[in-house]
Amino acid sequence: MHIRSNSMMAIAYLALASLSAPAAADGDPAARSAKPKHAGAQHGTAPMTTAPQKPGSSGVKLQYRLDATPQVGRATPVVLQFDDVTEAEGATVRLSADRGLTLQGNSTLRLPAGKRTTATVVVVSEAEGLAYLNVFIIQGGASSAISVPIQTGMAAPALKSPGEMKPTPGGDGIITMPVK
């Protein structure tokens, strides 16, 4: 029996611990004055991750980062940064959370045209594991759906294969496994 091997990607987030107001957009005075509440957060900011854009999507660019390490029952701020809003009427964002993740605060945002908008939303993990904060963006009749991964607790352990990796003449790798 031959099985093609696929590379597995693991997403690990190292984030700084800080709390801020739920779903506060950069136009909100409370959001501009919000400062990290933990001394460790003063040392720098984690880099933003750029969400991939698919052809035919809304065209709005989304970058995100977690501002704390997700823990069961604790608030995790997720910073969302939106760019490339080109429609005169702006764009709309709707947020939802997977089962096992609770979204605190507003679940809708309005993005003005021609401006970068940064919003911080707060999620709370109800259990260990992987859940997603879903971000739906609508601009000018086109839409995008982006899932922001929230890994709480340990990542799932990598499974050890009982087979042996062998190259094929074409350069692909296969795993040969005994059939029982």
Side-chain angles (χ1 to χ4, degrees):
M1 173 183 221
H2 297 285
I3 299 176
R4 280 214 153 126
S5 87
N6 291 321
S7 63
M8 297 184 68
M9 295 179 60
I11 299 175
Y13 288 98
L14 297 175
L16 303 171
S18 103
L19 295 175
S20 58
D26 60 359
D28 182 353
R32 286 193 300 263
S33 65
K35 300 286 183 211
K37 296 183 184 343
H38 299 287
Q42 300 292 333
H43 296 293
T45 303
M48 300 286 266
T49 300
T50 301
Q53 288 192 16
K54 296 179 182 169
S57 69
S58 69
V60 176
K61 177 181 172 184
L62 171 64
Q63 292 183 300
Y64 61 88
R65 75 169 180 264
L66 303 183
D67 270 354
T69 301
Q71 296 178 0
V72 175
R74 292 220 142 143
T76 303
V78 181
V79 178
L80 304 172
Q81 181 176 290
F82 302 92
D83 286 301
D84 300 337
V85 178
T86 57
E87 291 291 319
E89 61 275 355
T92 323
V93 176
R94 186 176 59 83
L95 305 168
S96 71
D98 280 356
R99 183 176 299 159
L101 195 63
T102 302
L103 177 64
Q104 295 182 340
N106 295 332
S107 63
T108 58
L109 300 168
R110 198 77 188 121
L111 307 178
K115 294 184 180 181
R116 169 177 286 172
T117 302
T118 302
T120 299
V121 297
V122 177
V123 297
V124 177
S125 298
E126 298 167 2
E128 288 194 0
L130 179 62
Y132 293 92
L133 170 64
N134 300 299
V135 182
F136 302 98
I137 307 168
I138 299 171
Q139 174 178 239
S143 62
S144 300
I146 299 148
S147 296
V148 175
I150 310 292
Q151 176 67 54
T152 304
M154 299 297 290
L159 299 175
K160 184 172 178 162
S161 171
E164 180 183 343
M165 175 69 84
K166 293 183 180 180
T168 65
D172 291 330
I174 61 169
I175 296 176
T176 58
M177 298 172 66
V179 178
K180 294 181 181 183

